[in-house]
Amino acid sequence: MSGTPWTEHLILAPVLLPLLAGAALILVNEARHGLKFSINLGCNLLLLAAALALFWRADQELWPGTMGVYLAANWMAPFGIALVADRLAALMLVLTAVLSLAVLIFSWQGWSRIGVHFHSLFLFLLMGINGAFLTHDLFNLFVFFEVMLAASYGLVLHGYNVTRIRASLQYIAINLVASLLFLIGIALIYASTGTLNMADLGPRVAALAPADLPLLQTGALILALAFLTKGAMWPLGFWLPTTYAAASPPVAAMLVLMTKVGIYAIIRIWPLAFGAGPLAGFALEGLFWGGLATLLFGSVGMLASQEAGRMAGYGAIISSGTLMAIVGANQPALLTVGFYYLLGSTLATAAFLLLAGLIERIRTPGSALLALTMEAFAIEEKPEEPVGVGIPAALAFLGLAFAGCALVITGLPPLSGFVAKFSLFHTLLDSSAEVTRETWLFMGLILASGLTGVIALMRFGVRTFWASGNLQAPSLQHSEALPISFLLSLCIAMTLFASPLLAFLERTSEDLARPGTYVEQVLSSPVRPGPAGGPP
Amino acid sequence: MEAVIAIAIGVLFGSGVWLILRPRTFQIITGLMLMSYAVNLFIFMMGRVWIDKAPLTLKPGIPSLGEYADPLSQALVLTAIVIGFATTALYLVIMIGARGLTGTDHVDGKEPEA
């Protein structure tokens, strides 16, 4: 590959780096924990640097046409596999890198040592997620999904106990079936259009004979079913709360990102395949209603859950439902807000799941069940004598971090959740079209989900932090407090710099609204000449 | 020909679906394997049902690509087989682990109350 600047190969770095580091880490003895951790940390820092570089290049339009195209093995676009780094992909890469860095530091204290090969599996998970964000080929997307899922199966089991095994039996079975659906969808799309390259899909779909359309529609719907199982749309998302609650906190925090990969795939594929032509906006209305049902399911589940892990799981379902409804509403302006919401809710839910692991330390077992029973039967708790103990710093930190997470998840002012909700309502009401009944329903459900979130989290917080009795100050390490503060301070930064961020996200959704650019860029991406200057 | 293959795939997939809805882990893994066989056949057949067509070869003077079998669906099915095999093997390991830890092969980890 002579004559190719190194910046072109940068697109491959987010996939290649974790693969190499993860494979190398298998060879390192488990006992050398410090070495393993430092290699993983170094790799994560490099990933963050690569993601930021890609982000910068994509946003500064240093590549022709706002996106970098990498032709793997130098094959021309519809025939080989193309990796594409545009604004959206780069943004998701940065989010992944930031989140994985925080989770990795959190796991330093104990979680990464309670089982074998945590670091390798973690890096393979990153490879799968990054690959899924970058690839522009449907079958390659399937392969990266499988890499991501295989690593996540190992990670969910990490720290082997009965609860985790039971949860992962269901988690794996469901995901294996979803993968089979994925394959059926791909096969049908290939049979009807003859291509699996996403950019090539659009023109071919538009030129399809009406007789072939049902086959393509069936394929696309089955494919969407596979994505939405990962994204936990009602009624496909029953696996999620159980899995989140059972997995160890760092793993659960990474799983939050995985639910977003399914929705990302829809955001990526749908405008390219069904952006224009006879099938424009195909099935998006179904996605909208599915999103509303998911919102409702998440809100009710939130109210019913007793432990922090399950609450965070339902929080993730609510955020998935909101995103699905936003994507289903099919307006570029709404998508801008959707991206902002995605960033904030992912960071906050992940922080909350990390926090849940710490909160478990101060909660006495059974108190959660007691709290719900007491409310259900209106049993007054006898106030005990106040104990004159000052709040230890660790407890204060937990309380404050909990409040921060709750503010973002429920969308109360002043953090990023509120900005997201406010701009969402603003966009919904501001659009030139008449405000329909569906829009009102959507807004009502979002408000209701916020309310149930507030009720559930308040109940949990009051019972946990203000509980009378002997509340033991937990032992808290810096490496555990730091990642949570980091994630929450990112949410604060998102609030402070909302205007430039939203401007960037607007450019992102404008890119997506112009699928023609993708088609042109990817398909016309030049093949590099061979080393001798001859034909490639 | 098409009808025979379609029925075969349908029967395989249908039996698989029935089996994964059963409560024992062994039934589930058998069901998953049947379903993945069905899906592999399905991908293969999406390259169209052809008999007596040569694989695509790089010789000068290829009259028309229609004379050759579709190589892409064969490549896809190979990858799908490998990945499906690996994940099923992984599931088997967890199944054995669950059997050892819970003492039952029920998917809920406990026997239903009679």
Side-chain angles (χ1 to χ4, degrees):
Chain A
M1 295 291 274
S2 61
T4 312
W6 65 273
T7 44
E8 294 301 306
H9 292 296
L10 194 65
I11 300 177
L12 206 55
V15 180
L16 217 50
L17 269 176
L19 174 66
L20 294 177
L25 279 178
I26 296 180
L27 304 175
V28 181
N29 192 325
E30 261 334 297
R32 308 184 68 178
H33 178 261
L35 179 67
K36 283 195 136 180
F37 181 83
S38 349
I39 293 179
N40 196 348
L41 186 68
C43 182
N44 263 287
L45 288 172
L46 281 177
L47 277 180
L48 182 60
L52 285 173
L54 284 177
F55 182 80
W56 186 70
R57 286 187 69 85
D59 195 37
Q60 297 296 314
E61 312 204 349
L62 292 179
W63 282 300
T66 74
M67 71 188 83
V69 181
Y70 187 87
L71 301 178
N74 208 17
W75 280 51
M76 265 171 67
F79 304 113
I81 290 167
L83 300 179
V84 173
D86 63 339
R87 285 197 178 98
L88 178 58
L91 177 74
M92 298 306 283
L93 288 180
V94 172
L95 178 67
T96 312
V98 163
L99 196 61
S100 70
L101 196 62
V103 168
L104 181 66
I105 294 172
F106 183 87
S107 70
W108 157 252
Q109 199 50 45
W111 287 110
S112 61
R113 306 186 200 194
I114 58 167
V116 289
H117 295 311
F118 174 83
H119 293 292
S120 296
L121 288 171
F122 189 81
L123 285 167
F124 292 145
L125 180 73
L126 285 182
M127 172 201 166
I129 295 177
N130 285 345
F133 287 147
L134 281 172
T135 188
H136 217 60
D137 180 277
L138 279 181
F139 199 78
N140 196 225
L141 182 68
F142 167 73
V143 174
F144 279 125
F145 256 79
E146 287 304 307
V147 170
M148 171 179 98
L149 287 172
S152 81
Y153 301 154
L155 283 174
V156 168
L157 275 172
H158 181 73
Y160 222 60
N161 64 22
V162 179
T163 334
R164 281 184 195 138
I165 286 211
R166 209 179 289 158
S168 64
L169 264 183
Q170 296 161 7
Y171 173 67
I172 297 176
I174 285 167
N175 276 302
L176 286 180
V177 175
S179 301
L180 293 176
L181 291 179
F182 200 144
L183 281 174
I184 296 178
I186 287 180
L188 280 172
I189 289 179
Y190 178 65
S192 53
T193 64
T195 187
L196 289 173
N197 185 297
M198 294 184 204
D200 200 21
L201 211 53
R204 280 172 184 254
V205 168
L208 218 54
D212 288 337
L213 284 183
L215 202 59
L216 173 75
Q217 282 167 311
T218 319
L221 284 181
I222 293 179
L223 193 65
L225 217 55
F227 293 144
L228 293 174
T229 308
K230 268 96 183 171
M233 184 173 90
W234 185 86
L236 307 169
F238 291 117
W239 57 271
L240 191 141
T242 318
T243 313
Y244 276 31
S248 53
V251 176
M254 288 310 286
L255 287 181
V256 176
L257 198 61
M258 286 178 54
T259 58
K260 304 295 182 283
V261 180
I263 298 172
Y264 168 86
I266 287 182
I267 297 178
R268 171 66 78 203
I269 294 170
W270 244 247
L272 284 173
F274 305 112
L279 288 181
F282 167 62
L284 282 178
E285 203 184 346
L287 186 65
F288 177 77
W289 287 105
L292 291 193
T294 314
L295 248 177
L296 193 64
F297 170 64
S299 320
V300 175
M302 188 85 151
L303 268 185
S305 27
Q306 300 158 8
E307 40 181 319
R310 288 192 88 83
M311 265 181 206
Y314 282 110
I317 289 184
I318 290 178
S319 108
S320 276
T322 313
L323 276 171
M324 284 168 201
I326 288 175
V327 177
N330 198 11
Q331 295 172 19
L334 219 51
L335 207 52
T336 308
V337 187
F339 289 140
Y340 186 85
Y341 178 78
L342 186 154
L343 293 177
S345 72
T346 307
L347 292 174
T349 316
F352 187 61
L353 276 161
L354 294 181
L355 195 65
L358 301 181
I359 289 176
E360 284 308 309
R361 290 186 196 162
I362 58 170
R363 279 166 72 84
T364 41
S367 73
L369 191 65
L370 196 65
L372 205 68
T373 330
M374 280 200 297
E375 245 153 64
F377 294 99
I379 301 171
E380 282 292 321
E381 202 178 354
K382 252 193 202 145
E384 292 184 12
E385 291 297 310
V387 237
V389 189
I391 301 175
L395 212 52
F397 168 77
L398 286 187
L400 275 178
F402 178 80
C405 290
L407 286 182
V408 182
I409 291 176
T410 57
L412 291 177
L415 289 183
S416 65
F418 177 70
V419 179
K421 250 175 216 184
F422 186 80
S423 15
L424 182 62
F425 286 178
H426 182 75
T427 319
L428 279 173
L429 294 175
D430 198 40
S431 59
S432 50
E434 200 186 338
V435 181
T436 55
R437 230 180 306 164
E438 284 86 32
T439 311
W440 286 117
L441 186 63
F442 181 29
M443 291 198 296
L445 275 176
I446 286 188
L447 285 178
S449 77
L451 180 67
T452 57
V454 170
I455 294 173
L457 290 169
M458 279 272 281
R459 182 176 64 201
F460 181 81
V462 167
R463 293 285 173 201
T464 307
F465 295 106
W466 293 346
S468 52
N470 45 355
L471 199 55
Q472 295 288 326
S475 60
L476 205 59
Q477 305 292 333
H478 287 300
S479 68
E480 290 169 331
L482 196 69
I484 297 176
S485 331
F486 171 60
L487 291 178
L488 281 177
S489 58
L490 278 179
C491 287
I492 298 174
M494 274 180 63
T495 320
L496 292 178
F497 301 102
S499 162
L501 184 61
L502 278 170
F504 165 78
L505 293 173
E506 202 176 332
R507 292 196 290 276
T508 310
S509 53
E510 274 167 10
D511 281 355
L512 286 177
R514 286 192 308 261
T517 326
Y518 283 84
V519 177
E520 193 190 327
Q521 284 292 318
V522 175
L523 293 189
S524 70
S525 186
V527 175
R528 310 275 162 199
Chain B
M1 185 71 182
E2 274 91 349
V4 173
I5 291 176
I7 290 171
I9 293 175
V11 168
L12 271 177
F13 201 82
S15 325
V17 168
W18 188 75
L19 276 173
I20 61 163
L21 296 175
R22 307 293 303 156
R24 305 284 160 188
T25 46
F26 181 73
Q27 292 166 323
I28 289 179
I29 199 156
T30 318
L32 282 171
M33 280 160 73
L34 286 184
M35 281 168 80
S36 73
Y37 296 156
V39 169
N40 289 340
L41 272 175
F42 184 75
I43 301 175
F44 200 50
M45 288 308 137
M46 282 299 118
R48 301 298 185 273
V49 186
W50 278 332
I51 297 178
D52 273 354
K53 284 208 177 178
L56 189 60
T57 40
L58 285 174
K59 269 188 292 185
I62 295 176
S64 119
L65 285 177
E67 301 288 312
Y68 296 93
D70 185 350
L72 189 65
S73 59
Q74 302 178 11
L76 297 185
V77 81
L78 258 180
T79 319
I81 289 173
V82 173
I83 291 179
F85 179 73
T87 44
T88 314
L90 188 72
Y91 191 70
L92 198 61
V93 172
I94 291 156
M95 196 182 113
I96 294 169
R99 175 76 177 80
L101 273 183
T102 60
T104 163
D105 64 347
H106 197 276
V107 282
D108 290 338
K110 56 173 187 280
E111 289 294 325
E113 279 119 42

